[in-house]
């Protein structure tokens, strides 16, 4: 909150120094990201340093975690014990760490799995939906969804048309599984999988995974940038 020792800031001052518009500053106050502003006798808002630091913290956190989670974290700083806000920050760091791990696995899988030899295929090498689902740790309905999207399409065995995955199709499912875990969406995979099957799509996958890594790095940096303003807000909340 604004104290006697805080500089008096107008809405436009907070907007200019935080990179937001005047209306956005008002919206942040409305949403609880900024604590309620004091008012002059004429009804004008009066802000202080805590409001500015709150806006800067939210801006960095929104880039790191998305606006919904960023609001949750900053509101927790204002409304709850410090331990709760710190726990939310720890969770945000943990999610990024998991994304990095999944990305590393996807990078390895996209290279290694796409190079698996699938010659000399025998009928006994194929897998049913339930067998492949158990091997990948996914639900059978997930494999059926990938089939419908054209990502990992099995053969159909008469007379009932049961799905059977030959080694090449198992490889497709393994690639899709790893790339989905790394954050790949269905639509880009529909474009990439034909090239991977023919051996010509590895560069596209590699470029997309590099872009994914850059996104994670950018969000990690944004989370780091949020540390200073959040620390200032937490310090003010304890006084």
């Amino acid at each position: 909150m604004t104290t006697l020792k805080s500089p008096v800031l107008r809405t436009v001052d907070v907007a200019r120094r935080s990179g937001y518009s005047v209306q956005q500053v008002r919206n942040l106050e409305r949403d609880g990201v900024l604590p309620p502003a004091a008012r002059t006798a004429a009804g004008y808002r009066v802000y202080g340093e805590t409001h500015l630091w709150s806006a800067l913290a939210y801006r960095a956190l929104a880039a790191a975690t998305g606006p919904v989670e960023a609001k949750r974290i900053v509101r927790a700083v204002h409304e709850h014990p410090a331990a709760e806000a710190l726990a939310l920050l720890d969770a945000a760091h943990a999610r990024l760490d998991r994304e990095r791990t999944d990305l590393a696995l996807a990078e390895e899988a996209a290279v290694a799995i796409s190079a698996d030899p699938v010659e000399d295929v025998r009928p006994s090498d194929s897998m049913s939906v339930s067998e492949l689902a158990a091997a990948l740790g996914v639900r059978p309905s997930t494999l059926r969804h990938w089939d419908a999207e054209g990502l990992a399409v099995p053969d159909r065995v008469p007379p009932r048309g049961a799905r059977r995955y030959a080694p090449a199709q198992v490889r497709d499912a393994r690639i899709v599984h790893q790339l989905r875990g790394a954050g790949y969406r269905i639509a880009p995979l529909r474009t990439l999988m034909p090239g991977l099957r023919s051996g010509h799509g590895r560069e596209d996958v590699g470029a997309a995974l590099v872009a994914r890594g850059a996104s994670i790095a950018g969000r990690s940096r944004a989370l780091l940038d949020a540390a200073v303003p959040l620390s200032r807000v937490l310090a003010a909340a304890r006084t």
Side-chain angles (χ1 to χ4, degrees), residues 95-113:
R95 284 192 297 272
L96 282 169
D97 183 62
R98 286 194 298 271
E99 286 191 48
R100 288 184 184 279
T101 299
D102 291 341
L103 178 64
L105 291 173
E107 289 169 339
E108 294 175 5
V111 174
I113 298 175

Side-chain angles (χ1 to χ4, degrees), residues 51-141:
H51 298 92
L52 175 59
W53 287 119
S54 297
L56 291 170
Y58 171 75
R59 188 177 188 88
L61 285 170
T65 68
V68 174
E69 184 64 13
K71 288 178 182 178
R72 184 183 176 201
I73 293 171
V74 181
R75 281 198 296 255
V77 171
H78 297 312
E79 300 170 5
H80 301 287
E84 183 169 330
L86 294 173
L88 292 174
L89 280 172
D90 289 344
H93 282 287
R95 284 192 297 272
L96 282 169
D97 183 62
R98 286 194 298 271
E99 286 191 48
R100 288 184 184 279
T101 299
D102 291 341
L103 178 64
L105 291 173
E107 289 169 339
E108 294 175 5
V111 174
I113 298 175
S114 63
D116 281 351
V118 293
E119 294 80 9
D120 301 323
V121 175
R122 298 168 296 178
S124 60
D125 294 328
S126 64
M127 302 177 72
S128 67
V129 171
S130 59
E131 290 170 337
L132 182 55
L136 294 178
V138 301
R139 296 179 179 179
S141 60

Side-chain angles (χ1 to χ4, degrees), residues 24 30 42 50 54 80 84 91 94 130 138 159 177 184 193 226 228:
Q24 285 173 321
R30 178 201 63 198
T50 297
S54 297
H80 301 287
E84 183 169 330
S130 59
V138 301
H177 178 52
Y184 249 86
M193 286 307 295
V228 170

